[in-house]
Amino acid sequence: MAEIKDPENTVILETTKGKVVIQLLPQVAPEHVARIKELAREKAYDGVVFHRVIQDFMAQTGDVEYGKKGSETFNPGRAGMGGSAKPDLKAEFSATSHVRGTCSMARSQNPNSANSQFFICFTDAPWLNKQYSVWGQVIEGMDNVDKIKRGEPVSDPDSIVSMRVAADV
């Protein structure tokens, strides 16, 4: 298992394919890291599906409004169109590259529209650099990310079983 050096800035993502450990990058995107931790601590990500998973690109999840299995608002046809009840975040673009295992916020065409959705890169994606807010890097479990079912949308999608800040576990 990867050594967790900073439990307050590490999240443990348990997925239907296995565990994924993500090192948070508060020095790169402090507001985005704070939002990820806030939603994880509220258990908002538990049950949320991977609604958009593109081979050789990325796996997207985090729609806590329409993508959370078992919730009143779960709607597989709308998964990916929602966020959280919290306000959108101002972009925190950086020089941090989108490489295999990078965790970055999804957004609309508006750079300041990131809310709760995020994606994990399967491969290097340099065209995303300085256009999306990078907030983390997978340090363990990319083999499990690689197993997530593909699709756009995904039929019978994999999901986040739980997402916790390591300091709370």
Side-chain angles (χ1 to χ4, degrees):
M1 183 167 151
E3 182 186 351
I4 295 175
K5 294 181 174 91
D6 183 0
E8 185 57 36
N9 286 302
T10 307
V11 290
I12 300 168
L13 190 66
E14 194 64 52
T15 73
T16 47
K17 295 299 187 198
K19 183 164 69 168
V20 179
V21 180
I22 301 168
Q23 179 67 56
L24 302 176
L25 303 172
Q27 71 282 12
V28 174
E31 297 302 315
H32 289 75
V33 166
R35 173 66 55 84
I36 292 291
K37 288 171 26 176
E38 180 182 19
L39 291 169
R41 285 186 161 128
E42 292 172 359
K43 301 184 173 140
Y45 288 120
D46 297 8
V48 175
V49 299
F50 285 88
H51 65 271
R52 182 172 176 244
V53 185
I54 302 170
Q55 182 67 32
D56 298 321
F57 180 29
M58 59 89 211
Q60 186 171 333
T61 185
D63 182 346
V64 301
E65 185 176 4
Y66 300 120
K68 187 175 176 108
K69 286 182 174 177
S71 74
E72 285 181 20
T73 56
F74 178 61
N75 182 336
R78 295 203 67 196
M81 296 179 191
S84 73
K86 300 175 189 317
D88 288 348
L89 295 165
K90 186 169 175 12
E92 293 180 298
F93 300 161
S94 69
T96 304
S97 295
H98 286 78
V99 297
R100 177 169 166 77
T102 295
C103 302
S104 195
M105 291 303 271
R107 62 172 178 80
S108 70
Q109 296 289 19
N110 177 350
N112 301 313
S113 63
N115 187 290
S116 65
Q117 291 189 47
F118 65 91
F119 59 92
I120 304 171
C121 294
F122 289 126
T123 59
D124 295 0
W127 62 91
L128 300 177
N129 293 348
K130 298 182 183 175
Q131 296 186 58
Y132 290 83
S133 298
V134 174
W135 57 265
Q137 181 67 40
V138 174
I139 59 171
E140 179 187 321
M142 268 311 290
D143 55 328
N144 292 323
V145 175
D146 289 338
K147 295 174 194 168
I148 295 171
K149 192 173 179 188
R150 308 306 199 255
E152 215 184 340
V154 184
S155 93
D156 189 30
D158 287 302
S159 62
I160 297 169
V161 176
S162 67
M163 185 167 171
R164 300 288 179 269
V165 176
D168 301 340
V169 178

